[in-house]
């Protein structure tokens, strides 16, 4: 990511920031405490306290990271964030999003994890894809994995690379 212009939406305390230390980085999070921690950890980088659905951010980003943020937002707010992200990309820029997906009914442990999570908007993969498409983004690649918690498979997750839809 060296030299690339990067926007990290819902950056939290900067847990992924180390990946972008050689980029032109901006992190945004609504939690002032998280931003204060991120600023202490990475004083040379730019961090903004704000609600990503309401504040304006720059454009011309090569990479926009949205890591486990959107399942905290209802569809209407997620759509706002995704549409803003799509319009803030360079022509060959990408949005990288990582989110949990709804587990099957028989997966009681995974369902328990979703109930304990602070996010209230877990979605199926088809629902996610529909949100991305409606926002003007198209899927470049997708990978599925499990987020482990205390050694157990906790969340069913996906990591998706998205680009601006053509036409």
């Amino acid at each position: 990511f060296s030299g690339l212009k990067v926007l990290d939406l819902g950056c939290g305390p900067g847990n992924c920031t180390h990946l972008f230390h050689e980029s032109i980085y901006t992190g945004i999070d609504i939690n002032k405490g998280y931003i204060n921690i991120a600023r202490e950890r990475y004083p040379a980088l730019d961090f903004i306290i704000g609600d990503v659905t309401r504040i304006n951010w720059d454009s011309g980003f090569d990479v926009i990271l949205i890591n486990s943020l959107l399942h905290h937002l209802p569809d209407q707010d997620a759509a706002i964030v995704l549409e803003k992200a799509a319009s803030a990309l360079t022509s060959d820029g990408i949005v990288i999003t990582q989110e949990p997906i709804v587990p099957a009914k028989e997966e009681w442990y995974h369902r328990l994890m979703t109930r304990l999570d602070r996010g209230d908007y877990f979605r199926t993969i088809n629902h996610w894809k529909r949100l991305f498409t409606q926002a003007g983004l198209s899927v470049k690649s997708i990978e599925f994995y499990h987020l482990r918690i205390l050694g157990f498979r906790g969340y069913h997750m996906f990591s998706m690379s998205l680009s601006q839809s053509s036409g």
Side-chain angles (χ1 to χ4, degrees):
F1 301 104
S2 180
L4 296 180
K5 188 173 178 184
V6 175
L7 178 63
D8 187 355
L9 299 176
C11 67
N15 290 341
C16 293
T17 305
H18 68 280
L19 300 171
F20 306 106
H21 70 278
E22 294 182 1
S23 67
I24 304 158
Y25 176 94
T26 302
I28 302 174
D29 201 285
I30 197 168
N31 185 312
K32 182 179 180 179
Y34 283 168
I35 291 296
N36 288 338
I37 293 168
R39 285 176 177 159
E40 284 179 27
R41 293 171 74 188
Y42 304 97
L45 300 179
D46 188 25
F47 293 95
I48 300 168
I49 301 166
D51 180 338
V52 297
T53 64
R54 293 195 172 98
I55 68 169
N56 291 321
W57 59 69
D58 201 2
S59 61
F61 290 99
D62 301 298
V63 178
I64 298 176
L65 176 65
I66 309 173
N67 185 7
S68 296
L69 167 69
L70 298 174
H71 76 282
H72 294 275
L73 304 176
D75 281 1
Q76 181 179 350
D77 288 344
I80 290 169
V81 171
L82 292 167
E83 288 168 9
K84 287 172 66 173
S87 66
L89 287 174
T90 60
S91 60
D92 59 346
I94 60 169
V95 172
I96 301 170
T97 184
Q98 298 172 316
E99 291 290 340
I101 53 179
V102 175
K105 289 185 185 338
E106 66 276 3
E107 295 179 296
W108 65 269
Y109 175 74
H110 301 287
R111 287 199 170 271
L112 173 64
M113 295 309 300
T114 62
R115 287 201 179 100
L116 295 174
D117 192 278
R118 290 180 291 170
D120 292 330
Y121 302 97
F122 287 80
R123 299 168 175 99
T124 64
I125 195 65
N126 287 333
H127 192 148
W128 284 115
K129 287 180 179 178
R130 192 167 44 255
L131 281 174
F132 300 144
T133 300
Q134 290 170 348
L137 296 164
S138 52
V139 178
K140 289 180 69 169
S141 67
I142 184 169
E143 293 183 33
F144 295 94
Y145 63 99
H146 289 93
L147 186 63
R148 295 180 106 39
I149 300 169
L150 301 174
F152 296 98
R153 294 166 111 191
Y155 294 98
H156 296 297
M157 302 285 294
F158 70 84
S159 179
M160 200 176 296
S161 176
L162 306 156
S163 61
Q164 292 175 330
S165 297
S166 54

